[in-house]
Amino acid sequence: IAVARGDDVVHVLPRRPHVGRPQDNALFDGIFAIQSERLSLEIAAGNLVTGPAGVAVSTESVLQKGHNLNEAARQLGIRHWLFVTAFPDEISQHSDCMIRFLGPKHCAIATRPDLPDQDPKPLADALRDVLPELNVLQIPCHAIDSVFASPLNWVQIGHVLLVPVFATESLENL
């Protein structure tokens, strides 16, 4: 994650919790092309969606781990850290399945018409409280065979989007 510090930009690499994958941190250290400092917070990068003006969004699962969030926010330049309830059927419980910043004044939020109790309005309102000019694009999403795979969980390299495909019990429904 690129963080402005004075006139410079430093890169901070989140430490990945190694649940059954102890080599992930070494892997990301090896493939990250820019020298970076290691974040004190152990968090999956998918659960730390950063946006403009020091805004970040994570799911509430981060709060349950007893981390020093003030120190992590300082390291990352986060001024407004929003915590949301993850979709109950999303296996990773990450915020990158729920929101994607598209630019300084635009973001996309996954809406869940198949889950009536998952209202996107509180997140959109909280974002607009700190980013008043933000345009929010709501993208309706749903689970297939009780498995949720978000179209917002993509990787962008230049002008190319890589959209992951997640295996389900019935691949023909993807």
Side-chain angles (χ1 to χ4, degrees):
I1 298 170
V3 178
R5 291 214 183 123
D7 293 335
D8 293 328
V9 173
V10 297
H11 292 86
V12 179
L13 185 62
R15 293 184 327 163
R16 172 116 173 94
H18 56 80
V19 179
R21 295 169 33 173
Q23 298 303 316
D24 274 6
N25 286 326
L27 169 69
F28 288 111
D29 284 340
I31 64 174
F32 196 61
I34 300 170
Q35 183 177 3
S36 62
E37 65 182 60
R38 183 62 69 137
L39 181 62
S40 62
L41 174 67
E42 187 173 277
I43 184 172
N47 204 10
L48 184 63
V49 176
T50 56
V55 172
V57 180
S58 296
T59 62
E60 293 167 344
S61 65
V62 172
L63 300 173
Q64 300 165 1
K65 300 188 189 258
H67 296 300
N68 182 346
L69 297 179
N70 290 328
E71 174 59 19
R74 184 200 62 73
Q75 269 189 292
L76 292 168
I78 296 172
R79 292 193 293 275
H80 305 281
W81 203 338
L82 307 176
F83 297 94
V84 296
T85 302
F87 294 137
D89 54 354
E90 201 285 303
I91 193 165
S92 72
Q93 299 288 286
H94 290 173
S95 54
D96 67 351
C97 295
M98 305 174 78
I99 180 170
R100 172 68 65 160
F101 287 96
L102 306 172
K105 294 184 179 182
H106 303 282
C107 79
I109 294 178
T111 62
R112 295 295 303 275
D114 59 330
L115 297 175
D117 60 331
Q118 296 292 316
D119 183 3
K121 188 175 180 337
L123 175 56
D125 290 347
L127 288 165
R128 286 190 188 112
D129 283 347
V130 295
L131 301 168
E133 296 181 13
L134 187 68
N135 297 307
V136 177
L137 172 65
Q138 295 188 13
I139 299 180
C141 305
H142 65 277
I144 298 172
D145 295 335
S146 75
V147 176
F148 179 71
S150 175
L152 296 181
N153 189 6
W154 70 67
V155 175
Q156 182 175 349
I157 301 173
H159 295 287
V160 176
L161 291 182
L162 303 174
V163 181
V165 176
F166 300 94
T168 65
E169 292 178 6
S170 54
L171 292 174
E172 67 275 359
N173 291 331
L174 287 178

